[in-house]
């Protein structure tokens, strides 16, 4: 937004406008800032600790260093990066207009943010597909430890997820620029924003990111988990022992609820941010200058959507770590002895049927994370 013009101001008026402009670096009031800092601080602290615990357990216990647990470790690394890079820099961009970190970081931060978000989403999607292959198709012989071929396959899939994620985010590097905000040839401050060659290209890219980051993965996770739940239900009905079949059906209902919850949690976490970014690009093309009230509302909405997406860094260690029986038992060893009872199997748990239910559900494991480059308004 250029404030340059030919209007004549007195020196006193110009000085007053300059002070007002430099003092309006904040996008939100101090009370809202404090709330956001508290929320983001809590998400960062809990997310870092939870993912660090899961990562250390997987890396430090030889029996947990399985092929599929590489997904868990990969997601833990991605989530910790989200907490360390995405959250603090996005929070700064939301509450402050000024950018004082230079051109290099202006380009690298969105690249790191977008890549890690895509890695988190991609890893969750790969986990769902791997679950389906293991449980329904009987892929990889159901091997928990995994052969050398399994490890190579998982390692290759993780490398592909990282490469495709970086490639998807790469356009932002070219169009992310540092622009000075000036008044009468005086630079008030610099901002880090996206400048696309055309509005059509910008909206097309945002829509593509929404599809790749949220819509398609949500559909894949939902459909795959529905197929797994259907398979487990059909398998239970083939049991000749009626009591065993009844127990398995009850257990599978819980599994179905868990799978449905994972799919819904994924959609609720990621879809709002993508929809908001696309809507903001459509309503506020380059050059549009929303009034202060609208701008504050947009930043608040962005903060809410982004915090919701970043909450996946907290929920993922629970869904893909704590709900994995083997990982949970190791995590409980890090807690006081009074918590060890949580790891004990519940009464009536039939070990002969566990392979068709939650045990299989938790063979392929991982965790998620976080949001596209911040919408620059």
């Amino acid at each position: 937004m250029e404030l340059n013009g030919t209007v004549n101001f007195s020196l006193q008026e110009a000085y007053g406008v300059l002070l007002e402009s430099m003092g309006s670096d904040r996008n939100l009031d101090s009370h809202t800032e404090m709330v956001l800092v508290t929320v983001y601080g809590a998400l960062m602290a809990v997310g870092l600790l939870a993912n660090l615990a899961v990562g250390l357990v997987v890396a430090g216990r030889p029996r947990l260093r399985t092929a599929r647990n590489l997904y868990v470790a990969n997601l833990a690394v991605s989530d910790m990066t989200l907490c360390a890079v995405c959250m603090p820099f996005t929070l700064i961009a939301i509450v402050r207009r000024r950018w004082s970190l230079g051109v290099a970081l202006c380009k690298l931060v969105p690249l790191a943010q977008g890549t890690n978000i895509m890695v988190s989403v991609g890893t969750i999607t790969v986990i769902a597909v791997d679950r389906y292959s293991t449980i329904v198709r009987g892929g990889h012989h159901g091997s928990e430890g995994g052969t050398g071929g399994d490890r190579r396959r998982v390692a290759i899939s993780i490398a592909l997820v990282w490469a495709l994620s970086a490639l998807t985010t790469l356009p932002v590097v070219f169009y992310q620029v540092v622009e000075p905000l000036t008044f009468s040839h005086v630079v008030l401050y610099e901002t880090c924003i996206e400048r696309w060659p055309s509005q059509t290209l910008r909206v097309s890219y945002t829509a593509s990111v929404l599809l790749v980051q949220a819509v398609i993965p949500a559909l894949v996770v939902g459909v795959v988990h529905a197929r797994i739940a259907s398979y487990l239900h059909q398998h239970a009905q083939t049991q000749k022992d009626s009591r065993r079949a009844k127990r398995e059906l009850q257990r599978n209902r819980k599994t179905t609820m868990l799978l449905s919850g994972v799919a819904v949690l994924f959609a609720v976490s990621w879809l709002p941010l993508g929809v908001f970014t696309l809507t903001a690009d459509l309503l506020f093309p380059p050059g549009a200058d929303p009034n202060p009230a609208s701008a504050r509302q947009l930043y608040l909405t962005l903060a809410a959507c982004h915090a919701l997406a970043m909450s996946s860094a907290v929920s993922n260690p629970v869904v893909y770590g704590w709900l994995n029986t083997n990982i949970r038992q190791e995590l409980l060893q890090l807690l006081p002895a009074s918590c060890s009872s949580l790891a004990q199997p519940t009464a009536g748990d039939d070990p002969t049927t566990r392979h068709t239910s939650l045990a299989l559900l938790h063979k392929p494991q991982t965790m998620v994370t976080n949001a596209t480059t911040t919408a620059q308004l």
Side-chain angles (χ1 to χ4, degrees):
M1 179 177 63
E2 287 286 337
L3 297 180
N4 292 331
T6 59
V7 180
N8 292 323
F9 288 96
S10 68
L11 182 60
Q12 184 176 1
E13 289 173 331
Y15 183 68
V17 172
L18 178 62
L19 289 179
E20 182 180 357
S21 298
M22 296 184 69
S24 62
D25 183 28
R26 294 182 175 182
N27 294 314
L28 305 169
D29 60 84
S30 57
H31 176 73
T32 305
E33 278 189 23
M34 183 177 64
V35 172
L36 286 181
V37 170
T38 302
V39 170
Y40 272 78
L43 288 175
M44 284 186 282
V46 177
L48 282 171
L49 290 175
N51 285 287
L52 181 61
V54 171
L56 289 177
V57 164
V58 172
R61 302 295 193 272
R63 72 185 188 92
L64 293 181
R65 296 174 192 165
T66 63
R68 294 187 182 95
N69 277 345
L70 289 176
Y71 289 130
V72 180
N74 182 63
L75 192 51
V77 170
S78 178
D79 281 344
M80 285 189 288
T81 306
L82 287 177
C83 294
V85 177
C86 288
M87 293 190 197
F89 281 105
T90 300
L91 177 61
I92 292 172
I94 290 174
V95 301
R96 290 287 188 272
R97 301 174 191 172
R98 185 189 307 269
W99 179 266
S100 57
L101 301 178
V103 177
L105 282 179
C106 177
K107 293 178 177 292
L108 291 178
V109 167
L111 176 64
Q113 290 178 335
T115 298
N116 277 277
I117 290 164
M118 289 291 187
V119 168
S120 294
V121 173
T123 304
I124 290 177
T125 307
V126 171
I127 288 172
V129 174
D130 193 55
R131 279 176 174 165
Y132 177 82
S133 176
T134 302
I135 299 173
V136 179
R137 298 298 184 185
H140 321 304
H141 312 292
S143 174
E144 181 68 19
T147 64
D150 288 334
R151 290 183 178 276
R152 285 193 296 271
R153 175 185 57 81
V154 172
I156 290 173
S157 66
I158 290 174
L160 286 175
V161 167
W162 276 96
L164 292 175
S165 298
L167 186 63
T168 302
T169 315
L170 197 58
V172 177
V173 177
F174 296 100
Y175 302 121
Q176 196 84 9
V177 298
V178 174
E179 282 192 356
L181 182 68
T182 63
F183 173 76
S184 191
H185 305 292
V186 177
V187 177
L188 302 180
Y189 51 81
E190 292 182 328
T191 58
C192 177
I193 60 176
E194 292 180 23
R195 285 299 183 202
W196 290 78
S198 69
Q199 175 67 356
T200 301
L201 185 60
R202 178 190 181 105
V203 172
S204 298
Y205 175 76
T206 303
S208 299
V209 169
L210 174 60
L211 286 174
V212 174
Q213 178 183 292
V215 176
I216 294 177
L219 290 175
V220 171
V221 171
V223 170
V224 166
H225 283 179
R227 293 289 298 274
I228 293 174
S230 175
Y231 170 81
L232 293 177
H233 181 75
Q234 292 175 2
H235 183 276
Q237 291 181 329
T238 63
Q239 299 295 331
K240 296 180 179 180
D241 187 333
S242 60
R243 289 181 299 178
R244 179 178 176 179
K246 182 179 180 180
R247 286 196 300 268
E248 193 164 330
L249 285 171
Q250 291 176 341
R251 186 179 296 110
N252 289 342
R253 277 196 290 269
K254 296 179 181 179
T255 302
T256 301
M257 292 179 62
L258 175 61
L259 290 171
S260 301
V262 171
V264 171
L265 180 63
F266 181 91
V268 169
S269 297
W270 291 104
L271 282 175
L273 181 64
V275 172
F276 167 80
T277 304
L278 180 60
T279 303
D281 284 350
L282 290 171
L283 295 180
F284 298 96
D289 189 14
N291 61 64
S294 298
R296 282 193 296 270
Q297 187 62 42
L298 284 170
Y299 278 107
L300 280 175
T301 307
L302 170 61
C305 293
H306 187 262
L308 185 61
M310 294 300 100
S311 68
S312 62
V314 175
S315 62
N316 285 336
V318 176
V319 173
Y320 299 98
W322 183 258
L323 295 182
N324 181 315
T325 303
N326 292 331
I327 295 179
R328 181 173 69 248
Q329 289 174 347
E330 298 295 340
L331 286 171
L332 285 170
Q333 295 184 14
L334 303 177
L335 301 176
S338 59
C339 300
S340 61
S341 60
L342 296 175
Q344 300 301 320
T346 57
D349 189 15
D350 185 356
T352 64
T353 62
R354 287 179 61 84
H355 70 284
T356 64
S357 182
L358 290 174
L360 273 178
L361 170 63
H362 291 123
K363 279 189 174 181
Q365 294 292 343
T366 320
M367 309 166 260
V368 250
T369 114
N370 308 106
T372 63
T373 49
T374 306
Q376 301 293 339
L377 304 177

